[in-house]
Amino acid sequence: MRQALLFHPPRLRAEYGREIEDVFRARVANADGSLGGRKLLGFQLREVRGVVRTGLLSRWENWKRSRSQSPNIPTHPRNPGPMNGSLADLSFALRSLRKSPGFTLSAVLILALGIGANITAFSALNVAVLAPPPFPEADRLVSVDLTRGTGENWRISRWAYPYLQRYVDWPDRLISPLAGYRQRVATLTGYGPASQLNIEVVSPEYFDVVGRPLVLGRGFVSDEADPNGPYRVTVISYGFWQTRLGGDPGALGREIELNAERFAVIGVAPQGFSGFAGGADLWLPLGAYAVIQPGVLQQAGNHVAWVIGRLRPGTTMAAAEAQMAVVGQAISQEWPRGDDSYAADVRALAEVWTNPDARKASVFLALAAGLVLLVACANLAGLLFTRARRRVREGAVRSALGASRWRLIRSYLIESMTIATVGGAAGLGLSMWGMRFLTIAWPTQFLRGDGTGLQVISPESLTVDSRMIFFAVGVSLCAALLIGLLPAIRISSFRITDHLKDGSGATRPGATKRRGSTPFVDPQALLVGAQVSLALMLLVGVGLMGSSVRQLLAVDEGFQTERLLSFDFSTPQAVPRMDPRDPEIWRHHITLSALFDDQIQERLTNLPGVEGVTMSSGAALSDFQAVLGVIIEDSDLPSAEGTSIGVVPVADNYFDLLGIPVVSGRVFNRSDDLNSPPVVVLSQSAVERYFPDQNPIGNRVTTYFALPGRATAEVIGVVGDVIYTGPEEDRWPVAYYSLRDRRFGGTATVRTTSNPHDVTRMIQEELYALDPTVAMSNINTVNQLISRSVGDRGLVFWLLVVFASVTVLLAAVGTWGVVAYSVADRQRELGLRMALGAKSGNVLGLVLRRSVWTALAGVLVGLGGAWAGSRVLEAMLWNTSARDLRVFLGGGALLFGIVLAASYLPALRATRVDPVEVLKAAE
């Protein structure tokens, strides 16, 4: 009978086992007198069977009751199949997360922010550093460089057409095919209002170098490279074909009007290809260059083309370099340049297919995004740890039902993996917005290759592709381990006996004893300290970058920037193209263009909301249209000190409208035209460089690319310096000429009485009414140009602001959560202290003390990390020390205050604990 009682539940056996045995003995004794032998044995077996059956039924009822009361606690067979166990844990994790929607939503959002930031940063890193040149057999592609200079002062230059043709005709050329290209603009008419398109003028082998087949038609042939030929053919981009021609498969042979000339379409470029210089809508052969700028190809001193090519199969870089050295010597001998000389070289395309500034910025942003993810993971690990501590009893029950420690760890990891999967998907969605922002805000300083005309970065390629998806999956897996492993190991290491005895589902001080003798260290405090440290590193980065951007924006532009709008406009078709081979056409071009300028000024000035209008060739803050060699008469300066000067032709009222101060002499008037002696106005930087310690007025300055007999001009005035390049660069010397004397294109600058954007539409309509063949382009306010001038640092700064804001918010929320949990967990202790006479201030200090030390430790570690990592940011700073103590201490004090404020709010609740109610609830 004692063995039969083992089938009963332990509690029933303990309470009634002895009585059942006594009843059994009594019944057997009574039956012994009436039954004998085998019948007595059968009676005993029936009694034992009844006890066993009753015990089994009792256990079955208890099991069903436990299932109905604890539906979320699964049974754990000792050796379940790996797939069945994982599926059961996944099902359990999904049910658990569904029952806590607030926690689940918060966890997914936190992780989505961290993963989204990393995917966005990785997309920038991918296009700036990792992506190879998108051409077949890119290992054979090379940049063919022409350099010019003397001594140690050499610079990479474009090729003049005669030099390029010299190498094209070179015997046994090792670089073949070879392509020269130059980005220009042309005016398109016949498709609505006139518009300016980006085009590339290219040599015949251009599309052979590209190495991708055209969608339709053919590329150019050698005859179409003749600069004297009347070749009017074009290859259009895939985008132009789709938008302007509707994807017409019969587009070949259709004519397009550019600069009043008709061009026949002979091909459609590969989809996604926009030219080596980027942004091209059309390609024209070299033989059509006269439509853009007549006579340029015939000039040996006019450097018009960048050159790229492919090594012949089997050719080594060393052999190509040796041949190019000989080519450079031949060019230098055939076209001597006085003090300068020429050389030629070759570089692998992979070497130049990078933008150094974009590479530095993208690497830094990737590191910053990594810090955001670490903060998010630390924050979420703290939440999971709090959640897991409240479920310690549940884990203890599961262990009692047969779950191994690994099974418990795996269940927590599966839960974190579920959160990470959903968070990764949400982060991928957020990254699309981030990539869209990068595409719009990508600065022009981050587009070009180093010393080449190649556009090596295309912001349009910032999209979600297979590489982004694989990266998102990898980051999600890492995040799942980071957020789930520590809580899982810590919670599974607690002793379960105390929690089975305890009626609560959470741990209390003294109740969370771990296996082994390692002293207990609260990981939540460590996680909060880590969040503070990492957030402070980003906050210091924001301070340093913000200081640089602020100082750049504070640089004096040299003119009054308020309410200014600038735009480029094309030459009217009625005005002949400037041809340096024909002085009469050149003179006619300048005269008629000046008359058209006067008409624009008169009509736009009469518009409501317009205060004044002026003209120039190129806008301030938009680089120079021309940088020319300069000769100073009767100067003792070494030639190396003043070989180049920025040349800016301007209207008579240019200095007055822009508010550029006149330092000495006079500026231009209407009589300073082609019928008067040539005159020039110099900037202060030009005077300091070329006329130190003397009055430049009356001296003579020579710059070329002028009408015959007008290269040398008399200095009539000196004006203040104006920024034409970037605010971080030294002021360039500038020579101003009258637009009635020289011209390199047309730019209008309009000062308005209110927001410049309010008059843009009226200006467009007025210009169209004046001449429908004139197209406007590059319409910008001067404030936009100022912002773009610091666009590289500005992009990094604003992304850092976003990253730092997220991390500071997470650190504050993490601190608030830990303190709130601590207050709830210690209510009985705090109530007892207050019952024994503790004051509210003492209780508040008791709760805050731990937060203060945690925050202080986090700030100190964060300051150390920021100090060590500041060198990474140093290359992007301007006029700012990478170890500015004001930024470090200010960032530390700010974050320390935020963390204290986040701790104070939940700690204040501890002072409102009613000791009577707490003690009653604990009874």
Side-chain angles (χ1 to χ4, degrees):
M1 176 54 65
R2 185 165 298 174
Q3 287 74 23
L5 287 173
L6 294 176
F7 289 93
H8 282 259
R11 189 178 62 183
L12 186 64
R13 188 168 62 246
E15 293 181 4
Y16 304 108
R18 186 177 300 278
E19 295 180 17
I20 293 174
E21 289 183 17
D22 292 341
V23 170
F24 174 74
R25 292 191 189 96
R27 287 175 60 83
V28 170
N30 292 332
D32 190 27
S34 58
L35 300 176
R38 296 176 61 185
K39 290 184 179 181
L40 180 61
L41 179 60
F43 172 79
Q44 292 176 342
L45 290 176
R46 285 193 299 274
E47 289 293 319
V48 170
R49 183 181 64 185
V51 171
V52 170
R53 180 173 177 274
T54 303
L56 291 175
L57 289 175
S58 178
R59 281 186 177 273
W60 172 253
E61 292 296 330
N62 288 344
W63 183 82
K64 287 198 298 182
R65 190 180 303 111
S66 66
R67 290 288 292 181
S68 64
Q69 293 175 354
S70 302
N72 288 331
I73 303 178
T75 57
H76 297 280
R78 286 291 178 183
N79 294 300
M83 184 58 70
N84 290 336
S86 298
L87 291 177
D89 288 340
L90 177 61
S91 177
F92 175 66
L94 291 174
R95 288 198 306 271
S96 179
L97 293 173
R98 190 168 59 246
K99 287 195 169 187
S100 304
F103 164 80
T104 304
L105 183 61
S106 300
V108 169
L109 179 59
I110 291 170
L111 209 53
L113 291 172
I115 294 177
N118 275 265
I119 297 174
T120 302
F122 180 76
S123 68
L125 185 69
N126 181 47
V127 300
V129 179
L130 303 178
F135 306 107
E137 299 183 89
D139 58 318
R140 290 177 50 212
L141 285 169
V142 292
S143 174
V144 185
D145 301 331
L146 181 73
T147 57
R148 53 177 174 164
T150 182
E152 297 182 357
N153 184 23
W154 290 83
R155 62 189 182 277
I156 297 176
S157 168
R158 291 188 294 263
W159 291 65
Y161 177 74
Y163 309 163
L164 175 60
Q165 193 60 41
R166 180 71 173 87
Y167 184 50
V168 169
D169 298 335
W170 196 269
D172 299 322
R173 180 159 46 96
L174 296 179
I175 302 175
S176 181
L178 184 75
Y181 62 95
R182 175 69 185 276
Q183 188 179 53
R184 307 293 290 177
V185 294
T187 303
L188 174 72
T189 51
Y191 291 86
S195 59
Q196 286 198 294
L197 300 180
N198 289 325
I199 65 171
E200 280 188 352
V201 184
V202 302
S203 58
E205 297 177 343
Y206 181 89
F207 287 102
D208 296 327
V209 175
V210 174
R212 294 167 58 186
L214 274 67
V215 176
L216 290 176
R218 64 171 178 87
F220 303 115
V221 297
S222 57
D223 288 345
E224 293 162 347
D226 184 358
N228 300 311
Y231 299 107
R232 301 294 182 263
V233 292
T234 180
V235 173
I236 60 177
S237 69
Y238 186 88
F240 186 94
W241 179 51
Q242 292 292 318
T243 57
R244 300 280 189 167
L245 303 183
D248 179 14
L252 299 182
R254 291 181 61 172
E255 291 189 336
I256 296 172
E257 188 173 285
L258 297 171
N259 289 357
E261 297 275 356
R262 304 192 72 82
F263 286 77
V265 176
I266 62 170
V268 177
Q271 184 176 1
F273 178 67
S274 58
F276 284 125
D281 297 300
L282 305 171
W283 289 265
L284 304 184
L286 284 172
Y289 209 106
V291 177
I292 308 301
Q293 197 171 357
V296 169
L297 295 186
Q298 288 79 8
Q299 295 180 315
N302 202 327
H303 297 77
V304 297
W306 298 100
V307 179
I308 189 172
R310 288 182 179 269
L311 296 176
R312 288 184 180 275
T315 300
T316 63
M317 284 292 294
E321 289 170 355
Q323 185 178 78
M324 291 310 301
V326 178
V327 171
Q329 293 176 1
I331 293 174
S332 190
Q333 292 172 1
E334 293 182 36
W335 293 279
R337 282 185 55 88
D339 293 335
D340 279 358
S341 60
Y342 286 113
D345 199 3
V346 62
R347 292 179 291 170
L349 189 66
E351 179 183 342
V352 300
W353 197 261
T354 183
N355 180 289
D357 293 333
R359 181 176 63 241
K360 288 185 293 188
S362 61
V363 169
F364 178 75
L365 288 177
L367 294 175
L371 295 181
V372 176
L373 181 62
L374 289 177
V375 172
C377 289
N379 188 279
L380 192 49
L383 287 178
L384 286 174
F385 193 85
T386 300
R387 175 180 168 85
R389 289 180 67 174
R390 291 175 175 172
R391 296 163 59 192
V392 168
R393 178 174 173 81
E394 174 188 304
V397 173
R398 293 172 67 183
S399 295
L401 294 175
S404 64
R405 187 184 181 194
W406 160 243
R407 183 68 183 276
L408 293 177
I409 293 175
R410 187 178 69 182
S411 67
Y412 286 119
L413 287 178
I414 287 178
E415 184 176 77
S416 65
M417 183 68 71
T418 303
I419 296 172
T421 301
V422 180
L428 193 62
L430 286 178
S431 70
M432 295 180 183
W433 291 91
M435 293 178 198
R436 192 171 303 172
F437 166 76
L438 285 180
T439 301
I440 297 172
W442 195 266
T444 55
Q445 298 95 321
F446 286 176
L447 296 178
R448 301 287 170 194
D450 188 16
T452 177
L454 293 167
Q455 179 175 322
V456 299
I457 297 176
S458 175
E460 290 75 18
S461 60
L462 289 163
T463 57
V464 176
D465 55 16
S466 58
R467 184 176 291 190
M468 296 298 107
I469 294 175
F470 282 128
F471 179 78
V473 171
V475 170
S476 299
L477 289 174
C478 293
L481 291 175
L482 288 173
I483 66 176
L485 193 58
L486 177 62
I489 293 176
R490 295 286 299 186
I491 297 301
S492 65
S493 65
F494 291 148
R495 292 179 181 176
I496 66 173
T497 54
D498 297 322
H499 302 291
L500 288 176
K501 294 176 182 178
D502 184 19
S504 67
T507 61
R508 292 199 304 266
T512 50
K513 298 176 182 177
R514 298 178 58 209
R515 297 184 180 99
S517 58
T518 304
F520 177 80
V521 178
D522 187 0
Q524 290 179 294
L526 297 177
L527 292 172
V528 169
Q531 292 176 64
V532 172
S533 300
L534 297 173
L536 181 56
M537 293 172 67
L538 286 174
L539 202 57
V540 169
V542 168
L544 294 174
M545 281 302 303
S547 176
S548 289
V549 172
R550 178 179 56 81
Q551 293 191 66
L552 284 169
L553 292 175
V555 171
D556 183 13
E557 291 84 9
F559 63 99
Q560 297 172 10
T561 62
E562 298 83 6
R563 308 183 314 280
L564 285 179
L565 179 77
S566 70
F567 61 88
D568 297 335
F569 58 92
S570 61
T571 302
Q573 290 185 3
V575 176
R577 293 278 158 184
M578 182 178 63
D579 189 343
R581 299 169 301 176
D582 191 330
E584 286 303 316
I585 293 179
W586 193 347
R587 178 182 290 269
H588 201 44
H589 169 83
I590 293 174
T591 302
L592 292 181
S593 295
L595 290 175
F596 186 71
D597 289 347
D598 292 340
Q599 290 178 312
I600 293 178
Q601 283 185 270
E602 181 181 357
R603 298 189 65 154
L604 296 188
T605 303
N606 292 328
L607 291 176
V610 174
E611 184 177 311
V613 181
T614 190
M615 302 293 174
S616 60
S617 287
L621 300 167
S622 299
D623 214 339
F624 296 106
Q625 294 294 315
V627 177
L628 303 177
V630 59
I631 298 174
I632 309 298
E633 291 188 4
D634 303 324
S635 174
D636 296 330
L637 292 176
S639 60
E641 283 193 41
T643 55
S644 297
I645 192 169
V647 176
V648 183
V650 299
D652 312 332
N653 66 336
Y654 182 81
F655 304 105
D656 180 56
L657 185 73
L658 266 63
I660 301 172
V662 179
V663 178
S664 63
R666 70 172 181 89
V667 292
F668 306 114
N669 54 48
R670 294 184 66 86
S671 63
D672 294 317
D673 56 16
L674 294 175
N675 297 317
S676 64
V679 292
V680 62
V681 173
L682 298 181
S683 68
Q684 280 186 295
S685 292
V687 172
E688 292 170 1
R689 177 175 295 188
Y690 303 128
F691 299 98
D693 303 324
Q694 60 177 304
N695 184 5
I697 306 298
N699 283 275
R700 299 176 68 80
V701 173
T702 299
T703 58
Y704 295 100
F705 206 73
L707 279 166
R710 302 191 65 84
T712 301
E714 179 184 344
V715 179
I716 61 170
V718 178
V719 296
D721 287 326
V722 173
I723 296 178
Y724 282 94
T725 52
E728 75 277 11
E729 298 181 17
D730 293 335
R731 296 291 180 269
W732 261 79
V734 181
Y736 295 97
Y737 292 88
S738 172
L739 271 173
R740 305 178 193 279
D741 182 25
R742 299 193 186 190
R743 192 178 192 87
F744 306 125
T747 300
T749 303
V750 181
R751 188 178 295 279
T752 63
T753 58
S754 58
N755 189 337
H757 291 293
D758 295 341
V759 301
T760 302
R761 181 76 177 182
M762 289 189 295
I763 291 175
Q764 290 174 323
E765 293 173 351
E766 197 68 23
L767 198 60
Y768 182 79
L770 179 62
D771 192 327
T773 68
V774 175
M776 291 176 60
S777 61
N778 297 325
I779 305 172
N780 297 289
T781 66
V782 169
N783 287 334
Q784 289 175 320
L785 295 177
I786 293 173
S787 298
R788 290 177 190 171
S789 69
V790 297
D792 49 350
R793 293 177 176 87
L795 176 66
V796 175
F797 169 70
W798 285 113
L799 287 177
L800 278 180
V801 168
V802 174
F803 292 169
S805 300
V806 170
T807 55
V808 170
L809 177 63
L810 291 178
V813 171
T815 302
W816 179 89
V818 169
V819 177
Y821 175 77
S822 175
V823 169
D825 204 35
R826 300 172 62 187
Q827 275 196 350
R828 182 177 180 182
E829 173 198 344
L830 298 175
L832 183 59
R833 287 178 180 272
M834 296 184 73
L836 294 176
K839 296 182 179 179
S840 298
N842 295 332
V843 173
L844 184 64
L846 179 67
V847 175
L848 285 178
R849 186 179 299 118
R850 187 179 184 185
S851 298
V852 169
W853 284 111
T854 300
L856 185 60
V859 166
L860 292 176
V861 174
L863 288 175
W867 188 272
S870 60
R871 295 301 181 188
V872 178
L873 188 59
E874 188 172 23
M876 301 198 66
L877 300 179
W878 184 79
N879 204 24
T880 301
S881 171
R883 293 180 172 176
D884 189 338
L885 287 179
R886 294 172 301 175
V887 174
F888 279 74
L889 297 179
L894 175 63
L895 188 57
F896 187 75
I898 292 173
V899 172
L900 282 187
S903 304
Y904 179 79
L905 295 177
L908 194 61
R909 293 176 54 193
T911 63
R912 299 170 182 170
V913 172
D914 187 343
V916 177
E917 296 296 331
V918 171
L919 294 177
K920 283 183 178 180
E923 291 179 355

